[in-house]
Amino acid sequence: MTALLEVRDLSTYFFLSEGIVKAVDEVSFTLNSNEVLGIVGETGSGKSVTVKSIMRLVRVPGKIVKGQVLYKGQNLLELSERDMQKIRGKEIAMIFQDPMMSLNPLYTVGDQLMETIVYHMGYDRRKAYMRAVEMLELVGIPEPEKRMNSYPFEFSGGMRQRVVIAIALSCNPSVLIADEPTTALDVTIQAQILELMKELQREFKTGMLYITHNLGVIASIADRVMVMYGGRHVEMGLTDQIFYSPKHPYTKMLLRSVPRVDKRLEKLESIPGQPPRMLDTPPVCPFLPRCPRRLERCFRELPQMVEVEPNHFVRCFNPMD
């Protein structure tokens, strides 16, 4: 199967006066049509910088220093900014974490929806209006024609996120990137938004990258999972493989640190040590200082991604049994 989106050895560094921060270092993965790839990892692991690099939204002092981002065989990193603008929003759409940062408080929700549709689809105002109302209805906004004239502050957090989803899907994108879209919402609304995104993803047959630190969300929505740590991808596999047979020590410890409703625990396990300081990192496994399974070899070289079973890859010299 030809991948809809293929990322090869993507590296994005931030050049600071103190040194070089390797926020994303040689990350590779593929995304197919009608598939959800979950990208999981703790804060600072490089998840958001990875997807912003795909969208070419990294700003100075950040720079994409190496790699390819192939969308339908075309390298997005080689396109002019003008050509990239035609792809953003139309071919590849993104839902950000905070809906209030995505919506302009000075314009009505209808105007912002129509602006996207007119720019990318070439519709006239009347046709764009009808499409905007249709999208608001699709994402569950009550009285969509009336709410077209409302401003973002007149919506609740959950309804604002529904509007952002409507804008993202209004031009039928092939790839949808969701960067922790439910973090700012309470648990009940999170569940509603998550279910809505699953339904719309299936309906539109969109390939989706879902970024989160919440393993429960990943378990319920993703077909495959990529685990990131210290700017690198350390494990990748089908969702069941990652949750029931994790191979990287970090993945195993991450799963053990999550509260369980089916078990009574006297004490919640935690990962000892601190996340890596990403400044001028050496070419070894970023999890090395915290790893209980480290070998002498780990101090000398960086392990490569190895397929330990069909569709299951791990970057480790001493993987879990």
Side-chain angles (χ1 to χ4, degrees):
M1 183 186 296
T2 303
L4 178 64
L5 183 71
E6 184 175 2
V7 175
R8 298 178 181 171
D9 295 327
L10 180 65
S11 298
T12 301
Y13 298 169
F14 287 79
F15 296 86
L16 309 178
S17 57
E18 301 95 323
I20 299 173
V21 174
K22 297 180 179 180
V24 176
D25 207 2
E26 297 184 344
V27 169
S28 300
F29 61 87
T30 59
L31 177 71
N32 300 311
S33 296
N34 203 22
E35 177 189 43
V36 179
L37 173 64
I39 303 179
V40 67
E42 60 193 59
T43 300
S45 61
K47 309 182 300 294
S48 293
V49 177
T50 297
V51 295
K52 286 180 180 177
S53 299
I54 292 171
M55 295 290 281
R56 298 254 307 265
L57 294 175
V58 177
R59 299 291 178 253
V60 176
K63 184 180 180 182
I64 302 170
V65 297
K66 187 174 67 171
Q68 294 180 311
V69 178
L70 302 176
Y71 170 67
K72 296 181 177 178
Q74 183 180 37
N75 188 1
L76 301 183
L77 303 185
E78 294 178 349
L79 296 182
S80 66
E81 179 58 26
R82 185 174 182 179
D83 288 338
M84 190 64 201
Q85 284 179 356
K86 295 176 183 176
I87 289 177
R88 280 193 213 108
K90 186 175 190 295
E91 301 285 336
I92 305 176
M94 189 163 179
I95 302 169
F96 292 95
Q97 187 175 117
D98 186 355
M100 263 321 255
M101 297 297 290
S102 304
L103 298 171
N104 191 324
L106 302 179
Y107 292 89
T108 65
V109 161
D111 281 338
Q112 294 180 66
L113 255 169
M114 289 168 62
E115 179 186 30
T116 301
I117 295 166
V118 168
Y119 179 79
H120 287 298
M121 306 293 283
Y123 289 179
D124 58 33
R125 294 277 300 176
R126 181 176 172 277
K127 195 173 180 181
Y129 178 87
M130 293 172 63
R131 174 65 174 169
V133 171
E134 178 190 345
M135 289 307 301
L136 288 181
E137 185 174 14
L138 192 65
V139 298
I141 301 288
E143 300 181 287
E145 288 197 58
K146 181 179 177 182
R147 301 315 295 267
M148 283 282 286
N149 297 316
S150 300
Y151 289 85
F153 70 86
E154 297 179 278
F155 287 79
S156 66
M159 286 298 174
R160 282 197 293 266
Q161 196 61 286
R162 288 172 185 265
V163 171
V164 172
I165 293 170
I167 292 173
L169 292 173
S170 61
C171 299
N172 298 327
S174 298
V175 176
L176 180 64
I177 299 174
D179 188 3
E180 305 204 38
T182 61
T183 301
L185 307 175
D186 65 61
V187 178
T188 306
I189 304 302
Q190 278 187 19
Q192 293 175 5
I193 295 297
L194 201 60
E195 189 59 38
L196 171 66
M197 292 185 68
K198 285 165 64 176
E199 289 176 9
L200 294 176
Q201 183 266 332
R202 292 191 199 103
E203 183 175 336
F204 284 82
K205 293 183 169 54
T206 304
M208 182 161 71
L209 295 177
Y210 196 101
I211 292 84
T212 185
H213 60 271
N214 189 324
L215 290 168
V217 169
I218 285 293
S220 66
I221 197 171
D223 300 303
R224 289 189 298 129
V225 179
M226 180 172 76
V227 181
M228 292 191 69
Y229 183 85
R232 293 186 181 274
H233 57 314
V234 296
E235 187 166 3
M236 187 183 304
L238 302 176
T239 302
D240 283 351
Q241 291 172 331
I242 297 296
F243 277 84
Y244 296 110
S245 181
K247 298 301 180 186
H248 197 281
Y250 171 65
T251 309
K252 183 78 170 179
M253 296 171 80
L254 192 65
L255 288 166
R256 283 179 175 172
S257 68
V258 177
R260 298 281 296 269
V261 296
D262 58 337
K263 290 183 180 180
R264 182 178 177 83
L265 301 173
E266 296 298 325
K267 184 180 178 182
L268 195 63
E269 292 191 40
S270 62
I271 302 175
Q274 298 293 325
R277 188 168 181 261
M278 301 302 295
L279 203 62
D280 296 320
T281 50
V284 294
C285 176
F287 193 58
L288 174 63
R290 308 172 76 182
C291 184
R293 296 174 61 86
R294 59 185 178 236
L295 307 173
E296 187 179 332
R297 183 184 181 187
C298 300
F299 291 87
R300 298 193 307 267
E301 57 184 301
L302 174 73
Q304 299 303 308
M305 291 291 281
V306 176
E307 190 170 15
V308 290
E309 59 180 318
N311 300 311
H312 195 175
F313 300 82
V314 65
R315 186 191 297 277
C316 186
F317 290 131
N318 190 20
M320 309 293 295
D321 298 327

